[in-house]
Structures are given as C-alpha cells and as structure tokens.
Amino acid sequence: MDDKFSGRVGSAIRRRRRALGLTLAAVSGRSGLSVPFLSQIENERARPSSTSLERVADALGTTAVELLSAADAERIVEVVRSAPAEESAAVRALVHGKHQLHALEFVGDHDSGREFRHRNDELMYVAEGAVEVEADGRAYRLARGDTMFLSGGVPHRWRAAVPETRVLVIAVAEHIKAEHE
C-alpha cells in the first residue's frame, strides 16, 4: 500500500473534526500530531502517512477507511457541454457549483468598463481573437494563445479588441483563502 494518501482526505478530516466540535489543538492532543501539521493536512498541503491517518482517525472516533471513503465521496467529475450556436451566451460558466476553481468563457465584445480586484489568483487565456488588458496601471495586448496570470489583489480591466474574441478566465474561487508563499 502507498504510504501517502492522495485525494481530499484533508477536507474529510476537517468536516469530521468540526462536526464533533473539536479544535485543531484538541485533535493534536488526542493524536500526538502537531497543530501545524494537522492544519496542513486539512488544507491539502500535506498528505498523512498511514500511521498519521490512523492516529487522526482514532482522535476523531472513526477509522482511516471511513475518512478515505468520505474523501472519495467528494471527488467530482462534471462535464459542461457547449451551447448550440444559436443559444451561445456572451458569458458561460465552465464549472458549476461551489468549488475551489471558478472558470468562465467570454465570447464576443466584452467591455464592462469595470475594474476588477479579486481576492485570489486568476489566469486569463485568449482562445480566439485579442484582448486589451489594463492591470496594475499598465496596458497589455494579448493575442490568440496568450495567457496572463494575475495574483490576488491586482486591479485590472479588459476588453475584446476584435470581434469574435473568446477568452477563458480561470480563478481560485472567492470563498477560498489562498496563501501566497
């Protein structure tokens, strides 16, 4: 068996801990694992060994198998089909529901004139056409195939520079508190 578990076991551990009304310090005391390590596990920045997972499970009054099963239940595969041409919208969500990732497709003449400043990181990919972007006080022109990464907090606005422009915007969802290194 692999000594490290993948998947989303951290969020299953967090849900179980919160359901029991326990703090990280309480789980630390029961498991003998440090609060920072438990926090890293819950935030999917560390993967517990089988021994550590058993210790956490014991501290939470459950089994490692139940925690892994709860993590597997969170795995989602979702297909978002393209809309027929006559129904295509100017903005289309590429991911539905509340997830860690937010993705939109913009088609056509986009120019909200509005400045955006998102809490988390964002990536803009020009699939077709071209866009003009103002980010952090500087102007950029992006053509087909170009990408722009914007870290959280960077003020920006953009507009389609040519007709039939298609832009994909992918961002860490606003409800996620991303930590920058």
Side-chain angles (χ1 to χ4, degrees):
M1 174 167 57
D2 186 1
D3 198 34
K4 298 281 185 182
F5 297 103
S6 61
R8 304 192 60 179
V9 72
S11 57
I13 290 169
R14 180 186 303 113
R15 274 195 322 279
R16 175 76 179 178
R17 176 181 62 79
R18 287 180 176 169
L20 294 172
L22 297 173
T23 63
L24 283 172
V27 176
S28 173
R30 291 178 177 188
S31 68
L33 301 171
S34 73
V35 170
F37 180 60
L38 291 169
S39 176
Q40 288 177 340
I41 291 170
E42 285 191 1
N43 290 300
E44 308 292 342
R45 290 192 305 268
R47 293 184 179 148
S49 67
S50 57
T51 302
S52 294
L53 185 60
E54 288 290 341
R55 290 167 67 179
V56 171
D58 288 345
L60 297 175
T62 189
T63 66
V65 171
E66 288 177 358
L67 288 174
L68 291 170
S69 178
D72 283 343
E74 281 194 11
R75 294 176 192 233
I76 296 171
V77 175
E78 178 184 8
V79 175
V80 178
R81 302 281 182 201
S82 64
E86 63 274 1
E87 296 178 23
S88 64
V91 179
R92 179 171 72 103
L94 301 175
V95 176
H96 297 297
K98 188 174 181 179
H99 301 291
Q100 294 182 8
L101 182 71
H102 184 71
L104 297 171
E105 175 185 45
F106 294 86
V107 179
D109 188 21
H110 172 80
D111 183 7
S112 70
R114 179 176 159 216
E115 182 175 85
F116 300 96
R117 184 185 304 239
H118 303 293
R119 171 180 173 161
N120 294 320
D121 297 346
E122 178 177 319
L123 179 79
M124 178 183 291
Y125 171 74
V126 182
E128 294 292 334
V131 296
E132 293 174 351
V133 182
E134 182 184 322
D136 213 17
R138 292 186 57 199
Y140 303 88
R141 183 176 175 94
L142 304 177
R144 181 176 186 241
D146 290 345
T147 62
M148 175 177 275
F149 171 82
L150 299 159
S151 65
V154 172
H156 62 283
R157 71 179 86 227
W158 65 275
R159 70 176 195 82
V162 299
E164 302 304 317
T165 292
R166 197 172 99 217
V167 176
L168 305 179
V169 176
I170 302 164
V172 175
E174 289 293 316
H175 69 278
I176 303 295
K177 184 178 181 200
E179 296 180 18
H180 296 280
E181 293 181 17

